[in-house]
Amino acid sequence: MEEEISSEFVEGSDDVFRFGDHLELNQFDGLPYSSRYYKLLQERKKLPIWKTRIDFMNALENNQLIVVSGTTKTGKSTQVPQWCAEFCLSAEYHHGVVVCSQIQRQQAVDLALRVADEMDVNIGHEVGYSIPLENCCSNDTILREMMSNPLLEHYGVVVIDQAHERTVSTDLLLGLLREVISQRPELRVVVLSVPPASDRLVAHYGGVPHLRVEAMPSAEVVYSSGGRAESFYAALRLVLEVHRAQEPGDMAVFLASEQEVSCACSILAKEAARLSGTLGELVPLAMCPLHAGICLPITEDQKKSRRVFLSCSQSEDLFWSVDTLNFVIDTGVEKRFVTPSCFVEPPVGMVTEAMRCYMKLYHPEGDHFTLINIYNTFKSNFTPEEWCQDYFLCCAALQTAEAIRAELTDIMKQLELPMSEPAFGTKANTLNIKRALLAGFFMQIARDVDGSGSYFMLSTKHMAKLHPLSAYGAKTPQLSPPEWLLFHEYTLCDSNCIRTATPIPPQLYVLAPASASTPSGSECHSSPGSPATLHSTAAALEQSRLFQEI
């Protein structure tokens, strides 16, 4: 019997079974696919964006720039990078690899892990991520890459996710990529956005292919009749009403500012402690930019709890990994009013002591120099954590500034830029710092119109006061407000204010890039959109990131 069976296999030599013949090999690493790959593949095929796969691949092959629009949960952030990788692989890497930008750090890590899982490859090999202070890519990461490699010659496809967020890095990157694709016909750029913003992007780029992803069935929308002033407390009351109704699902609440997020967390935590235990636990979670990506999976012990995600960001993608989200409450208001992040809010009764400590660190040249003064003192202290606690400063923010400075130093070494010894406080150093600030924030100049600190902003034509914690603010009257100053941020709130300000003499304004107006109103006539100007602006933004992060 055994001889008959073996003879049949020999005669039908074309059908002889060989080990591994029935296994499909992964095109990215050459290994057989795992059973998990096929399980995830079935889930991927159920995503709304999967229906556009063929259309997307055809558009990618025949066009340099594509706009893809779709809401959260359509799958565009995970599937589009994989399809782009397949496109680059079909070209045998002749045109480079795929880079995908994300605004939030944690999202870049989470998406990289998810994409690697779906592609059935190891993280760090075929799929990786690169985020500030850790080694996908953020917009800042790609901008730094463009400083040393302006044409992005190592990349075949650049995917810009969350283009609708309109951050400085995103807008600058989109402008630079528009110049790059004109010089690299083989480069592809894919812009991912949401439907309202995607129409403006298509019009801006002049009729490029626009793939619309059909969203899942829309949710029921209920509008409140309350005014803006009541929106904060109305949202919190609604959270408690939903929880008392015991309807299943987590909640997401969009508030106006980080201050409201912090306040809401405190209020909900106190109210949750008073609720009956039969309703289950109510867990408020802050989702501010500095705490993004903390959507943790529910454990067995938390199945009876209800999470309330509180955010002041417009990005729905913060909650892309949460499958239990059933309620969204949006106040419809955005208000930016924040104190400098290196200053912590002092306890009740310690405000005067905190201001006394801050005044010891103030620098006569303005707030940016005060931040440098704080950083230098922090670096020279043998017990930095204890010193930060005594001076009501955030040690984590200063440690981040230290890491960013080391990162910028490495970039300068890679570019072989000259570096001088620290000379903070000298006349030449002061002038150089102000020139660097002016190169990066040339559009943020204001003038005191009446001598009382009422500033007219040249770019927006609005009036504003200085922030109370500024070296020239209401709480520090020892320095009179300068006539001309450069400010880091303008916050729109009940009393408009500008913060982190440094006096800039008018004669320095001639150093500003061509797209800025001089104080006298005359305009420079050199090309404002030239690559040299754009790259110098990007470099200046990087140099001034130290002040922003502190």
Side-chain angles (χ1 to χ4, degrees), residues 141-439:
T141 306
I142 303 177
L143 284 174
R144 288 195 294 272
E145 173 78 13
M146 295 188 76
M147 293 177 193
S148 58
N149 182 19
L151 296 181
L152 295 174
E153 296 170 347
H154 303 304
Y155 301 111
V157 181
V158 179
V159 182
I160 307 298
D161 202 355
Q162 300 172 295
H164 55 279
E165 287 289 341
R166 296 298 306 274
T167 65
V168 173
S169 297
T170 299
D171 286 358
L172 184 57
L173 185 57
L174 287 172
L176 292 173
L177 286 173
R178 190 173 185 177
E179 298 293 329
V180 173
I181 59 177
S182 65
Q183 302 180 52
R184 282 193 59 198
E186 74 280 3
L187 180 65
R188 300 293 189 267
V189 176
V190 181
V191 181
L192 307 182
S193 183
V194 295
S198 59
D199 294 332
R200 294 192 293 270
L201 284 168
V202 171
H204 174 72
Y205 286 113
V208 297
H210 183 192
L211 298 181
R212 301 177 185 270
V213 182
E214 295 182 3
M216 296 180 178
S218 58
E220 179 184 0
V221 180
V222 180
Y223 293 96
S224 171
S225 59
R228 287 188 176 183
E230 305 172 355
S231 61
F232 174 74
Y233 290 105
L236 299 188
R237 284 195 296 268
L238 187 55
V239 168
L240 296 174
E241 288 176 11
V242 171
H243 186 63
R244 290 192 183 99
Q246 294 186 294
E247 296 188 35
D250 293 329
M251 287 182 272
V253 183
F254 292 92
L255 300 171
S257 65
E258 292 188 24
Q259 281 71 27
E260 287 194 0
V261 169
S262 177
C263 182
C265 266
S266 177
I267 293 174
L268 289 177
K270 292 178 181 178
E271 291 296 327
R274 301 173 184 171
L275 295 175
S276 171
T278 59
L279 297 177
E281 186 181 6
L282 187 68
V283 183
L285 295 173
M287 297 289 290
C288 295
L290 292 177
H291 309 91
I294 57 174
C295 296
L296 302 176
I298 295 180
T299 63
E300 289 295 327
D301 297 334
Q302 295 176 316
K303 284 187 175 179
K304 292 185 178 180
S305 67
R306 185 198 303 273
R307 294 179 296 179
V308 182
F309 301 104
L310 302 160
S311 174
C312 58
S313 170
Q314 300 177 9
S315 176
E316 296 175 332
D317 296 317
L318 285 172
F319 315 103
W320 72 275
S321 60
V322 181
D323 295 324
T324 56
L325 196 63
N326 289 346
F327 304 93
V328 178
I329 303 172
D330 191 351
T331 59
V333 181
E334 182 180 13
K335 179 173 64 177
R336 298 171 181 259
F337 180 77
V338 293
T339 56
S341 58
C342 70
F343 299 124
V344 299
E345 184 176 351
V348 177
M350 299 289 288
V351 176
T352 303
E353 178 64 23
M355 290 305 303
R356 188 179 296 112
C357 292
Y358 297 157
M359 291 175 65
K360 295 178 182 178
L361 300 168
Y362 281 142
H363 194 282
E365 288 292 345
D367 297 333
H368 291 98
F369 290 82
T370 296
L371 293 177
I372 299 176
N373 201 30
I374 292 173
Y375 174 79
N376 289 338
T377 308
F378 167 80
K379 284 285 292 179
S380 62
N381 202 286
F382 292 106
T383 56
E385 294 185 2
E386 182 179 345
W387 177 79
C388 287
Q389 185 175 359
D390 293 340
Y391 277 77
F392 303 94
L393 298 171
C394 179
C395 185
L398 290 165
Q399 289 172 341
T400 301
E402 183 178 13
I404 290 175
R405 188 183 189 282
E407 187 179 8
L408 295 177
T409 301
D410 291 339
I411 292 174
M412 294 183 68
K413 290 179 180 178
Q414 291 174 9
L415 299 177
E416 297 182 354
L417 296 175
M419 289 188 292
S420 58
E421 291 296 323
F424 181 65
T426 64
K427 185 176 181 180
N429 177 262
T430 299
L431 178 61
N432 287 336
I433 292 175
K434 290 186 177 182
R435 291 174 64 184
L437 289 170
L438 188 59

Side-chain angles (χ1 to χ4, degrees), residues 445 458 484 506 509-513 516-524:
I445 297 171
L458 301 187
W484 290 93
Y509 294 155
V510 296
L511 301 175
S517 298
T518 60
S520 61
S522 61
E523 295 184 356
C524 302

Side-chain angles (χ1 to χ4, degrees), residues 412-484:
M412 294 183 68
K413 290 179 180 178
Q414 291 174 9
L415 299 177
E416 297 182 354
L417 296 175
M419 289 188 292
S420 58
E421 291 296 323
F424 181 65
T426 64
K427 185 176 181 180
N429 177 262
T430 299
L431 178 61
N432 287 336
I433 292 175
K434 290 186 177 182
R435 291 174 64 184
L437 289 170
L438 188 59
F441 297 98
F442 57 89
M443 296 295 290
Q444 295 173 202
I445 297 171
R447 183 180 186 182
D448 187 358
V449 294
D450 58 6
S452 65
S454 298
Y455 284 90
F456 177 75
M457 294 176 286
L458 301 187
S459 58
T460 63
K461 313 299 183 185
H462 290 166
M463 299 294 297
K465 292 284 188 179
L466 283 166
H467 190 277
L469 287 182
S470 169
Y472 306 97
K475 293 185 178 181
T476 54
Q478 74 274 20
L479 296 177
S480 59
E483 180 182 4
W484 290 93

Side-chain angles (χ1 to χ4, degrees), residues 23-34 37 89 116 118-121 126:
L23 298 178
E24 185 180 0
L25 299 182
N26 190 328
Q27 59 181 331
F28 294 102
D29 61 9
L31 299 175
Y33 286 118
S34 66
Y37 167 80
L89 189 63
E118 292 184 355
M119 292 174 63
D120 207 19
V121 296
E126 290 78 16

